[in-house]
Each structure stands twice: as C-alpha cells, then as structure tokens.
Amino acid sequence: MAAIDSAYHYYLSTYGTSKVSRYDTHKKSQLRAVYNQIVKTNKDTPLYKIPDSTDVKKFAIDLKEHTRSIQNVIAALSDNDEGIENVFNKKVAKSSDESSVNVTYIGEDQSLDNSLHFDVEVKQLAAPQINVGKFLYPDECDFKTGTYTFDISTDLSSYEFQYTVSRNDDNQHILEKLARLVNSSGAGIHADLAKNASNKIALRLTSSQTGLADGQSYLFEVTPSSDHASAKAMQTLGIDCVTQTASNSSFLLNGTEHASLSNTFTVNNAFELTLNKPSSQANPVQIGFKTTADSIVDNVQSLVNVYNNLIQLSYRYDSTQEADKLRRDFTQVVKPYYNEFESYGLKLSDDGAIKVDTHLLTDAVTSTDAKECFATLNKFKNDLGTTAGTVSVDPLNYASKTMITYKKPGHKNFSCPYLTSVYSGMMLDRYC
C-alpha cells in the first residue's frame, strides 16, 4: 500500500494540475483496441523482477504521461478529414499580449475567417481565499502537549483534522506536520509556511479554487472542535481568520463588462482565455487567428515539442533505467525521413532531438510542392503515434529489471492483461 501511495503522490504532485483535453476520452472501440493490445503484449512477455524503487514508479508514470501527450497532439492533428494538405492546417489563435492574456482555439469550425478578432481588457484577476495564521518563533513551542482537532468546511464536504503535539515538538515541526496533513487530504487547499521579517513562521492556507459565486461568502471555513483544548490551540494557530477573500476576475470583451469565477474561461465555446495580469486600458489585448502558414508551422512545432520532451525525459533516467533503448526506438521513427526533413527545416541533432528552422519550414509548407511535405509529415505523425501507443501499453519494457524466465515459445500461454498496470501507476480514469 505504501508503494502505491508513493506512486499516486508523485502523479498528483507532478501531473495532478494538468489539463484534461477532449482527446482523453475514448470510444468503446478504442478502449477495446487498447485492451487487446495489452493482452497481446503480455501473452508472450517474460517474467521479470521489478526493483522496488521510487525511481521505477516515477519513470513509468512519466513515460505514460509523455506518451499520452504525444497521442493527444496526434489526435488533434488527425481530426481534419479534408485531405493530407489540411492535416496540419488547424486554426491557431493568437494574443497581441500573451503576458496579459493567453489564448487557445478549442473550436471545431476550421472555416472561420482568419481576420476574425475581438478585444479583451483585463481589469482584475480572480483570486483565491487565503488564511494566514499567527506568526510564531520556529524553535519555540506555543502549544501544550496533547491531541487537538479542527474542521475545514467547503461547499462540497467537511474534513476533520487531528494532530498531536509531543513534548519535544517545536512550532516549526508542528506547522510542517499540519501542512502535510492538509495537502494530503484532497480538500482543494494548499498549505505552506509563511515567514515574516522577524523570521517568525505561520501556517498559510490557499484555496485551489478562485472566485465567489452568488450567495457564497467563503470558499473554505476553518473551525476548531468544541472541546476547550482544541479551541485554545486554534487561537494559537490563528488559521480560522480569512486574510484574503476570494474574488472574481473582471474584464471587458469588446467594451462589454464580464466577470468569471476563474482566470481561465471560454468565449463562445471557441476560444479558451487565461488571464495573467491586468492590461492597459489604452491598449486592450487583441485576440485573433494566426495566418495559415503560421498555424501550420505552430502545429508542426507542437508535434516536434512532444517528441523532444520524450527525448529529454530519456536523458533524465539515463543512469537508472534503459533510457537509451527508449531513445533509440523514438529516433528510429525519425530516421526514415531524415533527408526530407532537412529540406523542410527539421534537423535531427546528435542528442536525438529535432530542431526546427521556422523560415525553411514556412517556405516548405507554402511552396508549390507543399503536398509532398505534408504527406511526409503525416507519415511521421502516424509512425510516432504507433510507437507512442506501444510504449504506453508497456512502459516497463524500458525499466531496469531482472529477467526470471521466458514463457515457452510456440505454446498457448496464459494472458495476464493487467500485469503492467500494477507497476506503471496506471490511473483508471485516464488510461483504461
């Protein structure tokens, strides 16, 4: 159980905040194909002994997430059924000031006029609720020995927390223990320690959610238990006082005022906006589309980026896992296209990554023989997707392990369809 807990903790802390795209949902036929691939892979797989180390769990989860990113980008580029030359010609939104507003086009209509645009003026960002407790000297102890409880209530549920103060505990140890307790609870609240100019420390609670809906006065409320000792300990902690009230974002769309509970929202189910900071009233941010050539280059770059991210991942685990084998399998996908890619501005470097010359690529996708360029890029996209799918099914194929025995060749072997999932940290809502 501890091993599974450590895998889930790594997954949640590293990938828990990543966005879920519509390509993370699948049809029954797609799920059945993945299941059949798992069965086929495990049918003749030798029996291995996997070392019980955190590094293996992290490697498997990282590999699953990176291959999922590759598959999602490929799925996005495979939506267009209007010919090979249009595979990479998907609309890409642009912002005139990305430091204030980021934008992504999430619509499905690819026939919109590239001249379509609208203005955004950011007046105020949405903010979380923050409770900061009383500041205490870290190497002293302001709590009496004993066991105390308090509740944190949100709109969805209530959480009870119990902590014990031992004789040798100091304030630093107690507050760090409370921070770990809150962070592992899944209450949607991040706890850390704040420090003031006098080097005193306090427990700080920050909601992951922002904004207040109509009728809401808080996102979370901290209350001590009814016993006198817990109430006294809460007076010492001070985390029941709201330091910053949650607030909504405020912005203008083409001069019309709007508000949102979050800094990320959609406009007409087509544009996803993320507000980063207030913008200038005199110069509102203009949201529109990139030119056709720029959109194609961006889409090719997004495919190259997820490939390069996996190559970089392999170097992170070079000393502990069979990362050279992983790197070799993915660079083999590129090598058949080496000559064509160089003429398109895509160059395979010595470390296995692909470097993009945007000027050469722009010339290639706008030339008279651009159709050949798109055909090559499309083949590479499909080959990369096939390799990523194979790796995703059995990430531990690239882990350092000890082989125990082969299954008898030529005989009907017993299938263990979920053998890999036990070790790979497979999350059922994302991968099954």
Side-chain angles (χ1 to χ4, degrees), residues 100-121:
S100 290
V101 183
N102 279 336
V103 61
T104 302
Y105 180 64
I106 58 173
E108 297 184 8
D109 188 356
Q110 298 296 318
S111 63
L112 294 175
D113 187 349
N114 276 355
S115 63
L116 177 70
H117 68 274
F118 58 92
D119 292 337
V120 181
E121 181 189 329

Side-chain angles (χ1 to χ4, degrees), residues 21-258:
S21 77
R22 61 193 175 101
Y23 302 106
D24 286 310
T25 59
H26 302 89
K27 299 176 183 176
K28 286 184 179 179
S29 58
Q30 293 172 309
L31 300 178
R32 192 178 298 113
V34 172
Y35 171 80
N36 290 335
Q37 192 178 2
I38 291 172
V39 172
K40 183 179 179 182
T41 298
N42 287 311
K43 190 174 182 181
D44 297 311
T45 299
L47 179 63
Y48 293 108
K49 182 178 180 182
I50 308 294
D52 185 19
S53 71
T54 304
D55 211 36
V56 174
K57 303 182 192 77
K58 289 181 178 179
F59 176 67
I61 292 172
D62 284 340
L63 198 45
K64 292 283 284 188
E65 286 298 311
H66 279 68
T67 52
R68 184 175 70 88
S69 295
I70 292 174
Q71 290 171 308
N72 283 355
V73 169
I74 289 171
L77 294 175
S78 301
D79 269 355
N80 202 326
D81 296 325
E82 299 179 6
I84 289 175
E85 63 273 17
N86 290 317
V87 167
F88 291 91
N89 187 14
K90 296 182 73 68
K91 294 287 183 186
V92 176
K94 67 175 181 177
S95 165
S96 62
D97 183 4
E98 293 186 349
S99 65
S100 290
V101 183
N102 279 336
V103 61
T104 302
Y105 180 64
I106 58 173
E108 297 184 8
D109 188 356
Q110 298 296 318
S111 63
L112 294 175
D113 187 349
N114 276 355
S115 63
L116 177 70
H117 68 274
F118 58 92
D119 292 337
V120 181
E121 181 189 329
V122 184
K123 299 176 69 176
Q124 174 184 298
L125 296 183
Q129 177 180 327
I130 300 176
N131 288 22
V132 179
K134 292 182 179 178
F135 284 91
L136 310 171
Y137 287 107
D139 53 355
E140 296 181 4
C141 185
D142 290 88
F143 301 84
K144 290 184 178 180
T145 302
T147 299
Y148 309 103
T149 57
F150 63 89
D151 297 328
I152 295 182
S153 302
T154 66
D155 269 356
L156 298 176
S157 57
S158 182
Y159 301 81
E160 183 180 77
F161 298 89
Q162 184 179 87
Y163 63 102
T164 300
V165 176
S166 302
R167 182 179 301 174
N168 297 323
D169 288 346
D170 57 21
N171 292 328
Q172 176 95 29
H173 178 80
I174 294 167
L175 297 189
E176 286 177 348
K177 181 164 58 176
L178 283 172
R180 289 194 298 269
L181 197 63
V182 173
N183 288 334
S184 61
S185 68
I189 297 168
H190 175 71
D192 64 350
L193 301 190
K195 183 181 287 188
N196 65 10
S198 302
N199 285 326
K200 289 184 177 181
I201 58 173
L203 185 63
R204 176 170 51 201
L205 305 180
T206 306
S207 64
S208 55
Q209 190 179 337
T210 58
L212 289 173
D214 291 340
Q216 267 189 318
S217 56
Y218 59 83
L219 292 179
F220 65 89
E221 184 178 33
V222 183
T223 54
S225 294
S226 57
D227 62 283
H228 178 73
S230 293
K232 196 75 174 174
M234 182 56 68
Q235 289 178 4
T236 304
L237 271 177
I239 56 172
D240 53 338
C241 296
V242 178
T243 308
Q244 174 183 289
T245 305
S247 58
N248 299 338
S249 62
S250 175
F251 54 94
L252 303 178
L253 293 179
N254 285 339
T256 303
E257 189 161 358
H258 295 268

Side-chain angles (χ1 to χ4, degrees), residues 307-326:
Y307 166 86
N308 285 343
N309 289 341
L310 191 135
I311 296 299
Q312 291 169 9
L313 174 71
S314 71
Y315 283 105
R316 277 172 45 196
Y317 289 97
D318 241 355
S319 59
T320 58
Q321 308 300 328
E322 296 180 15
D324 56 335
K325 178 183 175 184
L326 172 68

